[in-house]
Amino acid sequence: PKIKDSRHHRPLARGGGEVRISELDFRDLRTPRQIGEANPAIRPSIRWWLERSGENGFSICVVRVGRKILIHEPRFNRWLVDHLGKAA
């Protein structure tokens, strides 16, 4: 099964790709708070990235389970490296 973004009802991937449950290691899922605690320098930006995830590609990192928001840490790390130095 595919993981869908519950707000926008579209696959959580850019470029037409789809995130499949089999592609995720659920041990790599973190809450936004856990990501912020592990990376204090980016803590203030996490909510902004989440709110604009459809525009900035951050949705590739996000897994929503009902109202719960989780971030797939390896995908987040790749997304962050890809976006370092880009204008906000």
Side-chain angles (χ1 to χ4, degrees):
K2 301 169 191 167
I3 298 174
K4 300 267 185 180
D5 180 328
S6 60
R7 285 188 314 172
H8 301 105
H9 304 292
R10 62 180 180 222
L12 287 176
R14 59 182 162 195
E18 297 174 342
V19 177
R20 297 195 180 275
I21 290 175
S22 61
E23 295 174 5
L24 295 178
D25 183 347
F26 290 96
R27 294 172 292 189
D28 292 331
L29 295 176
R30 306 285 182 267
T31 65
R33 174 177 281 178
Q34 289 171 320
I35 295 288
E37 288 170 353
N39 307 283
I42 61 160
R43 185 180 302 164
S45 302
I46 294 172
R47 183 178 300 272
W48 191 88
W49 293 333
L50 283 166
E51 290 172 358
R52 290 159 184 80
S53 63
E55 303 162 20
N56 61 20
F58 193 70
S59 61
I60 193 75
C61 313
V62 178
V63 176
R64 295 180 192 271
V65 181
R67 292 181 53 180
K68 184 76 168 178
I69 295 173
L70 300 170
I71 298 173
H72 189 260
E73 193 169 24
R75 286 176 185 242
F76 168 72
N77 291 333
R78 283 193 300 269
W79 179 88
L80 190 59
V81 167
D82 289 347
H83 288 79
L84 287 175
K86 291 185 180 180

